[in-house]
Amino acid sequence: MSMPFPFLRSWMDKTPQEHPLRDYVDQAIRDGASDSAASLFSAAFENIIEALEKAQPQRLNSVRGDFRKARTTDDLLIVRAELVASAKLARASVPFDFGRRNRSPEPDLVLREMNLGIEVKARRLDGLRDLHDELEDALAGIEPPVLVRLMPDSQPLIIKRDVRAKVIEETVQRVRAGDLGSVVTEVHQPWSARKRLLLNVGIYQADGLPNGSRVTLANGFWGSEPGPHLLDAEEQVLAVLEDEQKIRQAESMPTILLVDAARTGMAWIRSPQVWAQRLALRLPESTPFVGAAVMTPTLTDPDVGISLGVRANLSDKDRHSVDELAGRLGLTTV
């Protein structure tokens, strides 16, 4: 009887035990439950890697090496963004290679027959989750354990490091003093579409917590819709257009910037059509990129939808290439 996930297991070969996918793959093989989270994660990677191994693009070894060198979940998800985009090309039978990385920088994906490249960028921005994780670490070992609830009036894309440190210091002091209840902290964020954030920090008794204090994030909002948050996400996607390294790669050939925004706050909540419209509206005519695109992949799906906004002043040749790619991949485009 053949072992499951043969392509994934070949890529996992020689990876250390601390590789971030190791436990999932081992559990999926051990349990054999096709609907478990470990099996779904592993099956998605298997599908992606199988598509690439069958397509055999040039410099696949380099990307395989990046996969094997991943030591954190962030490392793995950065590589996965490029893998899921390239596997989408492979399934659509679009000939491509992985770009050169050293002397002659090229986009991450070079389409052989379309004179077109795709540069992939993964953005992780989640201010509330950063605060959550750092606060849990700060409360570790403080007795008695408490339950802390973080509830903003609008979802913050970013909470600056110094602001997080201040909130954590004040919360730890309250916990040590036994100061239970809720306190609202006002956070100024001049860079954001919402200039003032109100953060409600509640501290409550929680007898019997087995692993010490626990920090929870309240669902939803208590004062605002997520519109400002999505404008901030949009700004952060478009900010990648100004990255000097990305610009150099775009100048080597007509290039689409593809941003993995699955972990850029709540970017996933915006519809694909709206993303395409907003990117097309805001894409500067002076940028060297022919278009900007957003995808929000999930760990359980080997494929992903892509929203593409195209620069208004494209040449007929570049427009033809972009239209052909959009048609073959089924992109949401404007």
Side-chain angles (χ1 to χ4, degrees), residues 128-239:
L128 203 57
R129 175 56 59 177
D130 292 338
L131 177 59
H132 168 281
D133 294 346
E134 293 171 10
L135 183 54
E136 279 208 334
D137 289 342
L139 293 175
I142 297 179
E143 296 291 342
V146 295
L147 179 66
V148 178
R149 184 190 64 183
L150 303 175
M151 185 168 64
D153 68 336
S154 179
Q155 186 77 2
L157 185 64
I158 299 169
I159 299 178
K160 300 291 188 181
R161 184 184 298 274
D162 59 334
V163 174
R164 299 199 307 268
K166 182 174 183 292
V167 171
I168 290 168
E169 179 183 5
E170 292 173 352
T171 304
V172 168
Q173 290 176 353
R174 288 176 57 203
V175 170
R176 292 188 185 280
D179 182 11
L180 304 181
S182 296
V183 170
V184 175
T185 296
E186 183 173 322
V187 177
H188 294 281
Q189 38 187 27
W191 55 269
S192 172
R194 183 174 171 82
K195 305 304 180 186
R196 186 189 69 161
L197 171 73
L198 297 179
L199 178 62
N200 185 308
V201 181
I203 303 175
Y204 309 97
Q205 288 182 338
D207 298 330
L209 285 175
N211 299 310
S213 296
R214 183 182 171 207
V215 180
T216 64
L217 303 177
N219 294 323
F221 313 97
W222 56 275
S224 174
E225 73 286 344
H229 174 81
L230 292 176
L231 289 176
D232 290 343
E234 184 180 294
E235 288 289 343
Q236 293 300 319
V237 167
L238 292 168

Side-chain angles (χ1 to χ4, degrees), residues 55-191:
Q56 282 297 300
Q58 292 184 30
R59 289 172 285 279
L60 178 58
N61 281 340
S62 177
V63 179
R64 187 189 297 113
D66 290 342
F67 172 89
R68 287 174 169 165
K69 288 186 291 187
R71 292 295 177 268
T72 67
T73 299
D74 276 353
D75 293 340
L76 182 63
L77 293 180
I78 289 170
V79 178
R80 194 183 191 279
E82 189 172 344
L83 292 178
V84 76
S86 56
K88 191 174 186 72
L89 294 171
R91 292 190 207 97
S93 299
V94 176
F96 75 96
D97 295 307
F98 291 101
R100 296 180 179 87
R101 303 188 180 190
N102 298 319
R103 295 182 181 177
S104 325
E106 293 178 327
D108 292 321
L109 306 171
V110 177
L111 282 54
R112 297 178 203 149
E113 299 175 356
M114 295 185 188
N115 188 36
L116 196 62
I118 300 174
E119 177 63 24
V120 183
K121 170 71 174 180
R123 298 228 68 175
R124 183 208 173 276
L125 294 169
D126 191 340
L128 203 57
R129 175 56 59 177
D130 292 338
L131 177 59
H132 168 281
D133 294 346
E134 293 171 10
L135 183 54
E136 279 208 334
D137 289 342
L139 293 175
I142 297 179
E143 296 291 342
V146 295
L147 179 66
V148 178
R149 184 190 64 183
L150 303 175
M151 185 168 64
D153 68 336
S154 179
Q155 186 77 2
L157 185 64
I158 299 169
I159 299 178
K160 300 291 188 181
R161 184 184 298 274
D162 59 334
V163 174
R164 299 199 307 268
K166 182 174 183 292
V167 171
I168 290 168
E169 179 183 5
E170 292 173 352
T171 304
V172 168
Q173 290 176 353
R174 288 176 57 203
V175 170
R176 292 188 185 280
D179 182 11
L180 304 181
S182 296
V183 170
V184 175
T185 296
E186 183 173 322
V187 177
H188 294 281
Q189 38 187 27
W191 55 269

Side-chain angles (χ1 to χ4, degrees), residues 240-276:
V240 184
L241 295 170
E242 305 300 324
D243 184 286
E244 292 185 3
Q245 179 182 352
K246 304 299 183 190
I247 289 174
R248 287 195 298 272
Q249 290 164 319
E251 289 173 340
S252 68
M253 67 186 305
T255 300
I256 294 170
L257 174 67
L258 174 58
V259 178
D260 176 354
R263 299 184 298 151
T264 306
M266 296 174 64
W268 50 269
I269 205 171
R270 174 180 278 178
S271 74
Q273 187 64 34
V274 172
W275 263 119

